[in-house]
Amino acid sequence: NSKIVKEYSNSLISSINISQNFIHKKLFLIRNEKRRSFNQYQLLSIAKKYGYVGISLEKYSFKEQVKIISNVKNLIGASGAAWTSMLYSKNSLKCLSWLPKEYFNFSTYSSLADSLGHYLFFIECYPDQILKTTAQAYYQSYKVSPVEFENALIKLEKIYI
C-alpha cells in the first residue's frame, strides 16, 4: 500500500532529528565482498567521474543512516538490503541497480521505490556461472559491463523527477 509506505517513511524521517545534512547528494552503495564479489571498485571509479561517493551504510548507526540518506538525490549500487534505505529519503530519488536477467522480475525494491515516488531502473549483470537457484544468485560472483554501467549513469543524470 503506497500510502502506508509513504506515511511510514515520513514518520520515520520526522522522528529523527536531522540537524546536520550529509553533504553528498550522489551515493554509490558499497557492498561487503565476502559473500559475493563483482567489479565494484571499477564501477565506483566510473561513478566518481559523475560526482558519486562510495559509502558502506552498515558502518553507520541506524540514525546516522537516516541522516545520510535523507537528503540524497541519486543512489546507485548492487541489489540488496541497503536499498531499503530509500525509506529515509525526503527527496524523490533517482536510482540505478543491477540484476541477472533471470531476476529482472524481482520487484521488491522497484515496488518500494515506486511507492515512495523514486525512479529506479536496472541494468543486467553477468554471473560467473549460470544461475540455477536463488541461493546461487545470493552467493555467485558476477560482473557489470563498465560500458553499460556508464551509459546507464548518463541516462540517470538526464532524468528529471
Side-chain angles (χ1 to χ4, degrees):
N1 184 310
S2 294
K3 182 181 176 189
I4 291 172
V5 170
K6 192 66 174 167
E7 285 175 6
Y8 174 76
S9 175
N10 290 336
S11 175
L12 175 67
I13 292 167
S14 66
S15 71
I16 294 180
N17 179 18
I18 302 174
S19 56
Q20 80 183 70
N21 294 333
F22 190 70
I23 59 171
H24 301 289
K25 301 292 184 191
K26 296 178 175 184
L27 296 181
F28 183 106
L29 299 171
I30 295 176
R31 301 289 305 261
N32 179 330
E33 292 185 307
K34 290 180 183 175
R35 190 178 72 229
R36 71 174 172 241
S37 65
F38 65 102
N39 53 330
Q40 174 168 253
Y41 294 101
Q42 181 183 28
L43 302 179
L44 177 58
S45 177
I46 294 167
K48 284 180 176 181
K49 294 190 309 189
Y50 296 87
Y52 287 82
V53 173
I55 189 166
S56 296
L57 287 177
E58 68 264 8
K59 293 182 178 180
Y60 296 89
S61 71
F62 176 71
K63 188 174 182 178
E64 290 170 323
Q65 289 179 33
V66 173
K67 288 180 178 184
I68 289 167
I69 297 296
S70 66
N71 288 299
V72 168
K73 303 246 184 222
N74 293 19
L75 195 60
I76 56 177
S79 183
W83 281 98
T84 60
S85 67
M86 289 185 287
L87 284 165
Y88 320 147
S89 180
K90 296 187 289 186
N91 304 308
S92 292
L93 292 171
K94 296 188 305 183
C95 307
L96 170 64
S97 189
W98 42 88
L99 290 169
K101 67 181 175 184
E102 297 89 345
Y103 293 97
F104 267 29
N105 291 325
F106 178 70
S107 65
T108 301
Y109 304 117
S110 56
S111 295
L112 181 61
D114 185 62
S115 293
L116 294 165
H118 304 321
Y119 177 83
L120 169 61
F121 77 100
F122 293 91
I123 59 174
E124 185 174 355
C125 68
Y126 304 94
D128 293 344
Q129 297 177 5
I130 294 172
L131 301 176
K132 297 178 183 175
T133 68
T134 54
Q136 277 184 297
Y138 189 71
Y139 290 104
Q140 183 62 54
S141 296
Y142 62 87
K143 298 279 186 278
V144 175
S145 162
V147 172
E148 290 175 29
F149 176 74
E150 187 159 14
N151 288 339
L153 266 182
I154 292 167
K155 177 182 174 183
L156 189 69
E157 293 294 316
K158 293 178 181 178
I159 293 171
Y160 294 97
I161 53 173

